[in-house]
């Protein structure tokens, strides 16, 4: 294989990750309306920046619990907690989707519980990379939509800025985020997206190679790297219309939301250029910074209010 072809091949996983982020954003935008119609908001007052502080406190507390569980070799606690969260999020996603049909609420509830439970069991029994990625897409879009309809633009910007600072400290200074990622990697849960380096790759087999000192054969992207910037994309699409009656392009999306999506990808490209050099990088400073700057550019282009 020529060096040029090899260089191009090395960037294919990065293109796949960018595609995953875009899919999460598009699906989250589609989920926002039915979730809002079913009152699936996480916070009662979407304009309160106190919600952002509450979210950060929850993230810190949850991270502490995970680190303690890893340190005490109680990873089953992490696995159980995340599986319950995964099942619950998928239930909300399927309930919201089925609610736009003529199905009765009782039938909707039964089907949503059944499908969410079946997928959660599948994930537990057969955590291959494509199962993890598909379920990751579902819960990533669902979580983004829920928080996007729950927080108006200013609280989201505050949240993303705080999370970017926290992520930078956790990766570059305390390095506990790297320890956390390594600790939960072999639990094979949809807290990350897995991009294989070759078609015959198996995440189930690769999960056990750490003890053998072998190099992993895939790239990994944290689920939060897709969720966090998408929250602003959804919020920009919901609250600008709700507060100011901003026109939707093709009845689907606002200009600031489009610009926020573009900003996310630009931030991801900058992040990828550093990741390809082989060093762990904090993703949220690039992704959150990109989506915020993209949103601001979209506001200036469209002449809409900032928030």
């Amino acid at each position: 294989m020529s060096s040029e072809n090899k260089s191009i091949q090395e960037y294919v996983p990065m293109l796949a990750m960018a595609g995953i982020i875009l899919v999460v954003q598009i699906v989250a935008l589609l989920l926002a309306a039915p979730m809002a119609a079913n009152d699936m908001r996480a916070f009662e007052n979407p304009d309160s920046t106190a919600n952002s502080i509450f979210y950060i406190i929850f993230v810190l507390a949850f991270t502490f619990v995970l680190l303690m569980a890893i340190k005490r070799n109680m990873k089953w606690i992490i696995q159980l907690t995340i599986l319950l969260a995964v099942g619950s999020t998928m239930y909300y996603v399927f309930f919201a989707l089925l609610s736009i049909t003529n199905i009765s609420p009782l039938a909707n509830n039964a089907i949503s519980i059944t499908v969410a439970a079946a997928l959660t069991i599948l994930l537990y029994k057969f955590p291959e990379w494509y199962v993890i990625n598909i379920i990751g897409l579902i819960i990533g879009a669902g979580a983004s939509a829920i928080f996007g309809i729950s927080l108006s633009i200013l609280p989201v910007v505050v949240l993303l800025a705080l999370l970017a600072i926290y992520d930078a400290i956790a990766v570059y200074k305390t390095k506990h985020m790297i320890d956390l990622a390594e600790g939960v990697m072999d639990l094979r849960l949809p807290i990350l997206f897995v991009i294989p380096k070759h078609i015959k790759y198996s995440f189930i087999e690769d999960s056990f190679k750490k003890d053998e000192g072998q190099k992993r054969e895939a790239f990994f992207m944290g689920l939060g790297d897709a969720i966090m910037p998408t929250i602003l994309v959804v919020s920009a699409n919901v609250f600008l219309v709700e507060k100011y009656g901003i026109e939707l392009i093709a009845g689907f999306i606002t200009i600031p939301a489009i610009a926020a999506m573009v900003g996310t990808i630009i931030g991801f490209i900058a992040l990828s250029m550093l990741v390809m050099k082989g060093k762990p990088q904090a993703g949220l400073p690039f992704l959150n910074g990109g989506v915020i700057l993209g949103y601001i550019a979209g506001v200036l282009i469209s002449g809409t209010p900032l928030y």
Side-chain angles (χ1 to χ4, degrees):
M1 182 183 295
S2 68
S3 59
E4 182 179 353
N5 289 337
K6 184 177 180 181
S7 178
I8 294 174
Q9 188 177 23
E10 288 176 348
Y11 281 93
V12 170
M14 298 302 169
L15 294 174
M17 291 182 190
I20 287 173
I21 293 175
L22 284 175
V23 171
V24 168
Q25 293 184 335
I26 292 170
V27 176
L29 288 170
L30 293 172
L31 286 172
M35 283 186 161
N38 284 279
D39 197 24
M40 293 181 177
R41 292 180 173 86
F43 302 107
E44 186 175 345
N45 181 8
D47 295 320
S48 174
T49 53
N51 295 331
S52 303
I53 305 301
F54 174 81
Y55 189 99
I56 291 294
I57 293 173
F58 174 79
V59 168
L60 292 174
F62 187 64
T63 301
F64 176 78
V65 171
L66 293 184
L67 288 171
M68 288 299 99
I70 291 171
K71 184 177 180 180
R72 297 175 182 276
N73 198 28
M74 299 174 66
K75 291 185 179 181
W76 65 269
I77 294 178
I78 301 174
Q79 191 171 41
L80 177 61
T81 302
I82 293 178
L83 285 174
L84 288 174
V86 165
S88 300
T89 304
M90 286 195 291
Y91 163 78
Y92 285 119
V93 169
F94 294 125
F95 190 94
L97 289 174
L98 289 173
S99 69
I100 63 178
T101 68
N102 293 325
I103 191 172
S104 70
L106 183 61
N108 186 349
N109 194 54
I111 294 173
S112 299
I113 290 175
T114 301
V115 175
L119 288 176
T120 303
I121 293 171
L122 174 64
L123 174 66
Y124 177 73
K125 294 291 187 179
F126 186 71
E128 194 49 270
W129 64 269
Y130 44 85
V131 175
I132 290 174
N133 286 355
I134 291 172
I135 293 178
L137 284 170
I138 295 171
I139 62 175
S144 301
I146 290 172
F147 285 105
I149 65 175
S150 302
L151 295 169
S152 62
I153 294 162
L154 182 58
V156 172
V157 171
V158 171
L159 173 64
L160 297 188
L162 291 175
L163 285 173
I165 294 171
Y166 166 71
D167 196 32
I169 294 173
V171 172
Y172 302 129
K173 189 70 174 177
T174 65
K175 301 186 185 300
H176 71 263
M177 192 61 71
I178 298 175
D179 295 335
L180 181 62
E182 292 177 350
V184 301
M185 180 74 74
D186 291 337
L187 292 180
R188 296 167 288 176
L189 295 169
I191 56 174
L192 45 76
F193 291 105
V194 184
I195 313 299
K197 294 181 181 179
H198 55 82
I199 195 65
K200 295 181 180 179
Y201 172 79
S202 170
F203 184 57
I204 295 176
E205 295 178 6
D206 193 30
S207 296
F208 298 101
K209 289 184 178 181
K210 183 178 179 181
D211 295 333
E212 302 169 12
Q214 299 184 38
K215 187 176 180 180
R216 293 189 183 275
E217 301 175 338
F219 289 93
F220 303 95
M221 179 177 70
L223 190 62
D225 290 344
I227 292 176
M228 296 309 164
T230 304
I231 294 175
L232 180 56
V233 173
V234 174
S235 182
N237 211 51
V238 170
F239 289 97
L240 288 180
V241 175
E242 185 177 296
K243 289 185 175 181
Y244 307 109
I246 303 301
E247 185 178 353
L248 291 171
I249 297 177
F252 175 65
I253 192 169
T254 64
I255 291 177
I258 294 175
M261 295 174 71
V262 173
T264 304
I265 298 304
I266 293 175
F268 179 79
I269 291 172
L271 172 63
S272 298
M273 293 174 67
L274 294 176
V275 169
M276 290 303 293
K277 294 181 179 180
K279 294 183 178 180
Q281 298 292 330
L284 294 186
F286 295 91
L287 296 166
N288 290 2
V291 74
I292 291 171
L293 292 175
Y295 168 74
I296 293 173
V299 165
L300 294 175
I301 291 170
S302 61
T304 58
L306 188 59
Y307 60 87

